[in-house]
């Protein structure tokens, strides 16, 4: 519970009769920012709580995935701020090398130009201008969502400070021999003309062709199958398994490579699966990663047969053909020579495409810069194994270990002009010099800088500490590193999370960049399908915010957030959350109109009614539940708990049960008004991190306080009253049972019915006025005739339904339903009494039948009681 020292509540007339999010949210957010509520102070003596935002691409706009994760991060930081932490949620953007360069190149293409027409310096100036004019659209959209980030600390992966961090760590890694240059197979995009990372490759099933080709002549021949016939021009061997007796006589021999004047060896390699296809595979080391490895083991030559555009560069008849044109031409030429043994079209197989331009990716042998990840990955794995970093949910740890324990060296160079240029200079005599941020590059004739830039993931891997001022030991770095939690999707655990772990541990003397990695699922549509811009199920969250308000979108997303699990979302659910926001608004207005107040201390327990004690007991239990769920990142459960408490317990039960008290006035009404004020105050505080706008507006009106953003987080006082909870549960049982009976009789909600309440000697008698009001039960009257008597908790309720129901027809209906329930009971008992069935049936089936039996027995008791309560025919 919270101790209130605020000024008396403002008049309810300040609140409109209906809640209009569009009229509230924008102004409220700007007020928060202007007053500096989200700015963190590195000099503060408060304990720090830090989250750095996964930096969205500068080219991006807010999609539901962003809205989902931002809602959860915002909830965490808002709660911690209310709990007294110096809470920093640091925003920023990623320069997004390929995506941003493509945007500007598209602009140039519309002008009939290419980047080469401008030159590197003028082109990068053009990209910076594009970034200033068009980039960062998502930042404004984050404001719409209500992101409580510290805008004063906004960072960009290519700003001056982060660029210094990139140069610093490159230099250190290079000096420690953890960065090197080598020729390896990489993913190459012939459209973007750069190496791309694994995460930038999207795989899809394409309809290709599988052709089987005979290499060699006569008995010294074999058949290989391929979907990429054009690469055969670069074959330098055929590989078979060393134990495959079919090819034992060929191992070590040379065979003729069709369409060329070359012979190639047959090599034995255990990589080959003798059960797959013919058991013989063509080896093209310069154009396939597995073939490259075979080539390394057998000292094979690597022949590059395509240029960076995917155009054939060798062998006269095919020289200058695009790779796909060459594929058809080569298959045609082989067919003419009778070397095509089999063809399969279409042949569906998985093909990698550039995620930016959708071009088919080409494996290509290329000289690139690499990070030697062995010792870095070992440290990243150890930090989780020894408990310094927790992965939540824990079962996601296996995926993390599968990656860091089997990580390959990382290609970090990109053939782009937009990005952090590799700080390597080459001299006229073959010198190679790595230059740090505070060092002067070598000068003189013949010295040139490496033309490549670094992979975007290289700079974003430094994000948790570069954004706080590293490599300088800044006050921000001292106060806010290590960050508390990284909340991100499980889909980038391999590509971003692992890199931050490696770099953080390396740069920060073994201190991991975060204490907890909280992994979320992906947002999907209401049918569980992946949302995509190319599919009609894609949703712009801004459209939903315009229609229903940001709180409704936030609450829907939080309510679906189970750790590590995908989140289905549909417009109907957002609409339901909008109704919840309106319910909070209307019910809080009603509470204030009927005396809800926070003035003064809570009355002592002896002055509280059972209803008051019940709601205060439930309030404290809810505070405890919500705290426990936050600590376990159970956003779905805490949202459900808050929804149930606010809608059901506060508005549907406490307010309704207290109406007779409020209407009667007097001292008890004042007591209950103070209790209601306390409950609404705490409820709004609990809801605020998830639905900040509607709660802020209501709370400041109720309490006169400055802002919920800086208000205290509620604490569980420990108050529990099991007796009051049991008493109100009995009241709820009576009301629920009679309401169900009324519905079964077809009575309208507002239809009044004479009734006699015999509640015995229980405490229920004290609630008779509330029970009658909620059930529309009139006093008995002189002509009262009990036509139905319902057994309820602690007594009976007799109703006079004369003139409202046909007793004979009602008896007939109940008798029919009773017969059906008895039949259901007999069938369930027969199955459960069959030993053979019980022995064979799965446990869940047996449990289901036991549940059917229990329900049938309950139905029989209820229906029989209703029949007994009807007058004789």
């Amino acid at each position: 519970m919270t101790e209130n020292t605020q000024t008396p509540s403002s008049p309810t007339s300040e609140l409109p009769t209906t809640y209009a999010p569009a009229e509230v949210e924008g102004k409220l957010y700007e007020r928060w920012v202007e007053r500096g509520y989200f700015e963190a102070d590195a000099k503060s003596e408060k304990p720090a709580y830090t989250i750095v935002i996964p930096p969205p691409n500068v080219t991006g706009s807010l999609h539901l995935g962003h809205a989902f994760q931002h809602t959860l991060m915002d909830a965490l930081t808002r709660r911690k701020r209310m709990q007294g932490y110096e809470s920093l949620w640091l925003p920023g953007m990623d320069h997004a090398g390929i995506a941003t360069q493509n945007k500007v190149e598209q602009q140039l293409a519309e002008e009939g130009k290419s980047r080469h027409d401008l030159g590197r310096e003028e082109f990068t100036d053009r990209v910076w201008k594009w970034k200033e004019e068009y980039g960062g659209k998502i930042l404004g959209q984050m404001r719409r969502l209500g992101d409580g980030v510290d805008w004063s600390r906004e960072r960009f992966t290519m700003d001056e400070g982060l660029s210094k961090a990139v140069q610093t760590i490159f230099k250190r890694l290079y000096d420690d021999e953890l960065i090197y240059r080598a020729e390896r197979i990489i993913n190459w995009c012939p459209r973007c003309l750069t190496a791309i990372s694994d995460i930038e490759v999207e795989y899809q099933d394409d309809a290709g062709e599988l052709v089987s080709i005979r290499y060699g002549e006569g008995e010294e021949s074999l058949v290989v199958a391929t979907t990429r016939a054009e690469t055969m021009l670069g074959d330098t061997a055929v590989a078979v398994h060393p134990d495959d007796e079919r090819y034992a006589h060929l191992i070590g021999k040379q065979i003729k490579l069709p369409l060329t004047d070359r012979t190639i060896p047959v090599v034995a390699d255990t990589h080959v699966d003798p059960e797959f296809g013919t058991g013989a595979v063509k080896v093209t080391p310069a154009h396939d990663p597995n073939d490259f490895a075979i080539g390394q083991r057998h000292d094979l030559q690597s022949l590059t047969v395509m240029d960076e555009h995917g155009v054939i560069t060798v062998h006269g008849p095919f020289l200058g053909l695009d790779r796909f044109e060459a594929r058809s031409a080569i298959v045609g030429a082989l067919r003419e020579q009778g070397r095509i043994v089999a063809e399969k079209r279409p042949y569906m197989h998985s093909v990698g495409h550039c995620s930016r331009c959708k071009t088919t990716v080409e494996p290509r042998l290329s000289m690139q810069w690499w990070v030697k990840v062995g010792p870095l990955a070992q440290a990243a794995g150890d930090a989780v194994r020894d408990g310094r970093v927790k992965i939540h949910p824990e079962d996601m740890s296996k995926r993390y270990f599968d990656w860091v324990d089997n990580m390959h060296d990382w290609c970090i160079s990109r053939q782009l002009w937009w990005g952090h240029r590799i700080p390597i200079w080459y001299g006229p005599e073959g010198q190679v010099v790595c230059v740090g941020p505070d060092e002067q590059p070598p000068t003189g004739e013949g010295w040139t800088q490496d033309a490549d830039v670094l992979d975007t993931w290289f700079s974003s891997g430094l994000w948790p500490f570069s954004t706080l001022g590293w490599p300088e030991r800044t006050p921000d770095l001292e106060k806010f590193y290590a960050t508390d939690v990284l909340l991100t999707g499980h889909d980038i655990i391999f590509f971003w999370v692992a890199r931050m772990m490696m770099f953080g541990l390396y740069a920060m003397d073994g201190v991991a960049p975060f204490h907890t990695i909280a992994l979320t699922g992906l947002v999907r549509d209401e049918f569980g399908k992946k949302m995509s811009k190319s599919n009609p199920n894609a949703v712009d969250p801004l459209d939903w915010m315009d229609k229903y308000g940001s709180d409704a979108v936030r609450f829907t997303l939080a309510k679906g957030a189970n750790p590590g699990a995908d989140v289905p979302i549909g417009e109907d659910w957002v609409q339901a959350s909008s109704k919840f926001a309106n319910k909070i608004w209307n019910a809080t207005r009603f509470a204030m109109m009927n005396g809800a107040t926070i003035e003064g201390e809570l009355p002592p327990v002896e002055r509280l009614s059972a209803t008051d004690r019940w709601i205060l007991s439930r309030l404290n239990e809810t505070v405890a539940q919500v705290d426990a769920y936050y600590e376990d990142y159970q956003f779905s459960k805490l949202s459900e708990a808050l929804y149930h408490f606010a809608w059901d317990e506060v508005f549907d039960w406490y307010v309704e049960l207290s109406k007779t008290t409020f209407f009667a006035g007097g001292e008890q009404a004042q007591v209950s008004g103070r209790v209601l004020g306390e409950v609404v105050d705490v409820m709004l505080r609990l809801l605020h991190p998830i639905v900040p706008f509607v709660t802020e507006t209501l709370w400041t009106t109720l309490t006169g306080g400055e802002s919920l953003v800086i208000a205290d987080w509620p604490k569980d006082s420990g108050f529990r009253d099991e007796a009051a909870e049991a008493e109100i549960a009995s009241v709820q049982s009576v009301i629920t049972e009679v309401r169900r009976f009324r519905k079964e009789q077809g009575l309208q909600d507002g239809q009044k019915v004479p009734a006699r309440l015999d509640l015995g000697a229980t405490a229920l008698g004290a609630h008779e006025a509330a029970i009658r009001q909620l059930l529309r039960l009139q006093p008995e009257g002189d002509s009262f005739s009990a036509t139905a008597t319902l057994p309820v908790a602690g007594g009976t309720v007799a109703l006079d339904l004369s003139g409202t129901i046909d007793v004979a027809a009602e008896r007939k209906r109940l008798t029919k339903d009773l017969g059906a329930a008895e039949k259901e009971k007999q069938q369930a008992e027969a199955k459960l009494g069959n030993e053979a069935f019980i022995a064979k049936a799965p446990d869940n089936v047996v449990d289901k039948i036991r549940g059917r039996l229990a329900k049938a027995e309950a139905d029989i008791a209820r229906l029989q009681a209703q029949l007994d309560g009807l007058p004789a025919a």
Side-chain angles (χ1 to χ4, degrees), residues 51-56 70 73 89-93 142 147 149 463 496:
I51 296 179
V52 290
I53 205 166
H70 287 203
M73 285 184 277
W89 186 20
L90 192 149
M93 294 182 297
M142 287 163 56
D147 283 8
V149 296
W463 190 251
W496 187 46

Side-chain angles (χ1 to χ4, degrees), residues 738-752:
V738 177
R739 277 177 174 168
R740 180 169 62 179
F741 180 77
R742 287 179 59 111
K743 186 176 181 180
E744 289 172 346
Q745 308 310 310
L747 298 178
Q748 298 298 317
D749 289 343
Q751 188 172 352
K752 295 182 178 180

Side-chain angles (χ1 to χ4, degrees), residues 434-569:
C434 181
V435 177
D438 300 320
E439 301 171 349
Q440 290 296 320
T443 58
E445 187 176 350
W447 283 94
T448 58
Q449 186 178 359
D450 194 296
D452 290 351
V453 300
L454 289 163
D455 177 14
T456 298
W457 297 103
F458 190 93
S459 52
S460 62
L462 315 181
W463 190 251
F465 52 94
S466 64
T467 52
L468 297 173
W470 187 91
E472 307 301 328
R473 301 299 298 192
T474 63
D476 276 3
L477 192 67
E478 296 288 348
K479 177 72 174 179
F480 296 112
Y481 188 92
T483 68
D484 285 85
V485 60
L486 170 72
L487 192 145
T488 191
H490 61 64
D491 55 324
I492 60 172
I493 188 172
F494 316 128
F495 308 107
W496 187 46
V497 177
R499 283 157 169 69
M500 287 190 289
M501 285 287 285
M502 291 191 300
F503 281 168
L505 290 160
Y506 174 79
M508 297 300 294
D509 301 321
V511 179
F514 15 75
H515 302 305
T516 300
I517 302 169
L519 297 171
T520 70
L522 308 179
V523 178
R524 298 184 178 273
D525 70 15
E526 57 192 305
F527 305 107
K529 294 181 180 178
K530 181 180 179 181
M531 286 190 178
S532 169
K533 291 182 179 179
S534 59
N535 293 334
N537 67 350
V539 172
D540 185 344
L542 295 172
D543 292 341
W544 282 350
M545 289 184 212
D546 289 341
K547 194 170 182 180
Y548 302 109
S550 298
D551 282 336
V553 174
R554 290 169 62 111
F555 191 75
T556 305
L557 291 165
K559 203 174 180 185
N562 288 301
D566 288 347
V567 183
I569 185 172

Side-chain angles (χ1 to χ4, degrees), residues 14-166:
E14 291 183 10
L15 295 174
T17 54
T18 57
Y19 179 53
E23 297 177 10
V24 171
E25 294 176 349
K27 296 176 183 177
L28 203 51
Y29 186 83
E30 291 309 315
R31 187 187 309 153
W32 291 334
V33 173
E34 288 168 5
R35 293 182 177 180
Y37 292 153
F38 304 138
E39 293 180 13
D41 182 2
K43 297 179 182 178
S44 169
E45 294 183 0
K46 297 178 182 179
Y49 183 83
T50 316
I51 296 179
V52 290
I53 205 166
N57 287 352
V58 67
T59 60
S61 60
L62 190 76
H63 57 64
L64 274 174
H66 290 130
F68 170 54
Q69 293 180 355
H70 287 203
T71 293
L72 306 187
M73 285 184 277
D74 195 30
L76 291 172
T77 50
R78 282 178 182 269
R79 172 175 174 263
K80 285 295 183 179
R81 187 179 294 112
M82 294 173 74
Q83 285 183 314
Y85 286 79
E86 197 61 36
S87 189
L88 170 61
W89 186 20
L90 192 149
M93 294 182 297
D94 191 286
H95 65 278
I98 295 177
T100 309
Q101 179 159 320
N102 278 350
K103 288 282 187 183
V104 179
E105 287 195 272
Q106 288 168 11
Q107 280 189 343
L108 290 174
E110 292 172 1
E111 301 170 14
K113 299 177 182 178
S114 74
R115 58 177 161 133
H116 300 286
D117 294 324
L118 274 65
R120 184 167 194 147
E121 184 175 349
E122 188 176 344
F123 176 78
T124 53
D125 287 344
R126 179 77 175 255
V127 181
W128 276 107
K129 289 178 182 177
W130 181 93
K131 184 257 181 186
E132 295 303 320
E133 186 172 355
Y134 300 105
K137 176 182 178 183
I138 193 172
L139 299 180
Q141 296 168 336
M142 287 163 56
R143 292 171 178 260
R144 282 288 313 277
L145 187 65
D147 283 8
V149 296
D150 185 346
W151 293 110
S152 71
R153 285 178 166 84
E154 180 190 338
R155 304 305 299 267
F156 179 55
T157 49
M158 282 185 61
D159 66 30
E160 183 178 353
L162 270 64
S163 294
K164 181 177 182 180
V166 168

Side-chain angles (χ1 to χ4, degrees), residues 320-345:
L321 292 180
D322 171 81
R323 53 186 168 155
F324 300 117
E325 296 172 336
R327 181 178 299 172
S328 298
I330 288 170
V331 171
L334 290 167
R335 192 181 296 111
E336 288 180 6
Q337 292 186 6
R339 289 192 173 273
I340 300 295
V341 176
E343 297 180 69
K344 185 176 181 180
R345 293 191 187 90

Side-chain angles (χ1 to χ4, degrees), residues 126 197 283 333:
R126 179 77 175 255
S197 66
V283 182

